[in-house]
Each structure stands twice: as structure tokens, then as C-alpha cells.
Amino acid sequence: MSKDLVVILTALNLEYQAVRRKLAGAQVHRHERGTLFEVGAVQGTSCRVALGLTNKGNHSAAVIAERAIQEFSPVAVLFVGVAGALWDTARLGDVVMATHVYAYHGGTSEDDGLKSRPRVWETAHGISQLGSHLARVNDWADDTTGHGRTPQVRFGAIAAGEIVQNSTISAEARWIRQHYNDALAIEMEAAGVAQAGHLSGAPVAIIRGISDRADGTKNSAKDRNWQPRAAANAAAFAARLAVELVGEQEKTAMSEEDRTRSADRPKDHVRNTAYNSTVGIMAGSVDGSSVHLHADPKATGATTDLVAELDGFQGLLGRTHAEGVLDDDTYREALVELGLARHAARENAPESIKRATIALKRLRGLVADSPELVTRLAPLVVAAGGRS
């Protein structure tokens, strides 16, 4: 993971420019498949941002988000831009941060009508908490001289589909009101980004400035007035959130480093007093009942141990699937990622270990609904990351 970098994605050039104005020293970074990012630092901070443009739609957003996650291994992915408000819950210029995202076009057509089959992704708890804190502090907004009141941050569901919504009486509007009436805003990319984050194990936040009301009053003249202001407000909140996320990551890294130093202090001996138990230790030598801890894990079969642990995880994965915790599609995708991780771990080269770490992170996202699998997988992700 890049502990000082956050990915920010936008769908429109206007939104892209609003974020770019927050960055200093931006340099072009070209992905091997041709996607261009700009990497710079939030002005006045050490927080780096990789900025990318997805274009409209959930599918395009999902592909670029996945590409960005694999390329940069960021602390988090923020999707930033404008959206339409629903039910007059947010005023023009306000910012909505998603607590969860609905892919509202899911459903099944039956003889008695269309039945909703929603997909939902919740925002990671840590990011939600940090966003709420920034909203309470309320010092993130740019100088709004001449723009009226200070924008407010609101938290709630965001609905993401594949069409521009601009009516309160259309069939689509009635569908949303019937099935997703807690949504504060509507747009066209959040579901794709949320899915990419879920599969990759990367935290995602969706941040939208309200530029219209999605009620039939949307027009070019109003867009020219409100879109830049809404995009600028969303960019300002996102930039501040990115800085705070990197700061939190640095604090966590320092705490882990302190724990590591404590664990690395020499110990005179290790004694096993548990009856009929097994103790596994990476040791340099054993003399009587004393175990001397001075071996290099990389030189004592760490690769074999990781592969063996991954083999064991496959058995647990199969059992969890058989118990019905994982559905068939998730189980198949998890097996693919596990296979990639095992193959890369066997190669034991720096680039291979990096691939193994990425695959394990994606696997962690797939099995997030199973605490047992996540708990078993967490030390394996750390182990692979520590050798990359």
C-alpha cells in the first residue's frame, strides 16, 4: 500500500479540473494500457493524489477504478463530482457523502411487474467516521465570498444508474421513490467504483456536490451556473478528506512500527508450559529448552509457509461456501484470486509477491461478509506485503 497516496476519480472534465486546482506539482503518470493519471500533492501538504478521469457510466468507472487500485495501491479511492438531489433533501451546492450506494437498475421482470433486486455497497466505517468529523469541524470549504451561504455536508444513500434522471413523474422516478426513497442524490458512476473497491479490498468514498434537483428543471443555463460551484465544493471536501486519510495512515504505521520494535527486542528464552500444545517459532538455533530468535524469516522457508497457509485457506473457503455463507459467483471469483496468489507466492520474486499481495487484497474484499475468512486472511495479506 502507498501510505501517502489517495486516488481521486471524476467522470467529467469540469470535475477533474476542480480537483486538479487543489494539487501542486502534478505530473502525468501513464498506465501500461494507456490510461493517463496526474499525480500531485494537495497544496501545502505531503498527501499525494493520483487523479484520473473515468468518463460517464458505472461500467467505465469500475474499469478505471480497478486499474487505479492495482497501479497505485492507494490508502483509499474517492469518487468526486456532481449529482442531482432527490426529494429536496439537499440544497444546490451542498455536498453529499454516501453512507451506502444503490445500483438501482437491478431487478427481475415477472408477469405481475418488475421486482427490485438491488445491489448495495456500504462505505467503510473508518472513512464514514472521518467524513462525519470533518463535517462537524466545518472548516473544509473554500472562501465562498459572492457565492452566498457556506455549503453543508449531508450523509446518506446515493443511487447510481445508467441514465440521466430529470423527472419526478417518469417510470424511473417512481421506481426510485418506491424502492430507494432514502437516497439523497442520484448519479451514474458510484456503483461501478464501489464494486471495484469491494473486489479489490480498497476503501471507497463517494463525494458529490449537488448541481440540480433531478426534477425536470435541469437545463444548460442552470448547469453552467451550478455545476462548477457544486464540483468545487465536492473537490474541497475530498481534498481535505484525502489529507486526513493519509494522516490517519501515517499514525497507524507509526504505531505498528513501535509494536514491531517492541517485538524485536531480544528474549532470553521461550518456554512452552501448555499441556499437549504445539509452538511454531522461526528460530536460528535451539539449545536445550532455550530458543534463540535471530533467524531471517526470508531465509527459513517463509515462501513455503505462505503457500501452505494459502492451501489451508482454500479448504476453509470451500467449507464456508458449502455452509452457504458465500454464494456460487463469489466463491468462484475467490478461487481465482486465491489461485493467482498461490502461483505468485511460489515464484517468490519481488514483482510476484506484489501480485500475490494485490490478489489477496481482492480476495479479502470478496469474502468480507465472512468474519472467519477475513480473520484467517488478514495475517496472510500482512505476510505477503511484508515481503514485497
Side-chain angles (χ1 to χ4, degrees), residues 269-281 289-291:
H269 65 276
V270 176
R271 177 175 296 171
N272 175 20
T273 57
Y275 174 70
N276 195 26
S277 63
T278 301
V279 179
I281 303 174
S289 61
S290 297
V291 181

Side-chain angles (χ1 to χ4, degrees), residues 73-134:
S73 297
V75 172
V77 177
L78 311 184
F79 200 86
V80 179
V82 300
L86 294 172
W87 339 127
D88 294 327
T89 51
R91 293 177 291 184
L92 297 180
D94 280 352
V95 172
V96 174
M97 180 173 173
T99 55
H100 50 291
V101 174
Y102 293 130
Y104 69 83
H105 272 131
T108 176
S109 179
E110 299 181 7
D111 290 343
D112 58 346
L114 185 62
K115 304 299 193 305
S116 177
R117 288 188 176 180
R119 296 289 305 278
V120 184
W121 298 270
E122 290 195 10
T123 301
H125 176 68
I127 295 183
S128 289
Q129 290 286 294
L130 199 52
S132 297
H133 171 71
L134 293 180

Side-chain angles (χ1 to χ4, degrees), residues 181-237:
N181 64 358
D182 63 332
L184 300 183
I186 187 166
E187 44 96 297
M188 298 171 60
E189 292 83 26
V193 178
Q195 173 75 340
H198 171 71
L199 294 179
S200 302
V204 169
I206 308 298
I207 301 166
R208 294 294 200 174
I210 298 301
S211 61
D212 63 82
R213 298 195 181 282
D215 61 357
T217 63
K218 179 180 174 67
N219 58 59
S220 298
K222 285 190 175 181
D223 282 352
R224 284 193 297 270
N225 180 35
W226 278 107
Q227 277 192 351
R229 293 163 62 177
N233 291 341
F237 186 76

Side-chain angles (χ1 to χ4, degrees), residues 292-312:
H292 305 282
L293 304 176
H294 57 77
D296 180 1
K298 293 184 179 180
T300 56
T303 298
T304 303
D305 291 343
L306 179 58
V307 173
E309 289 292 335
L310 293 176
D311 289 341

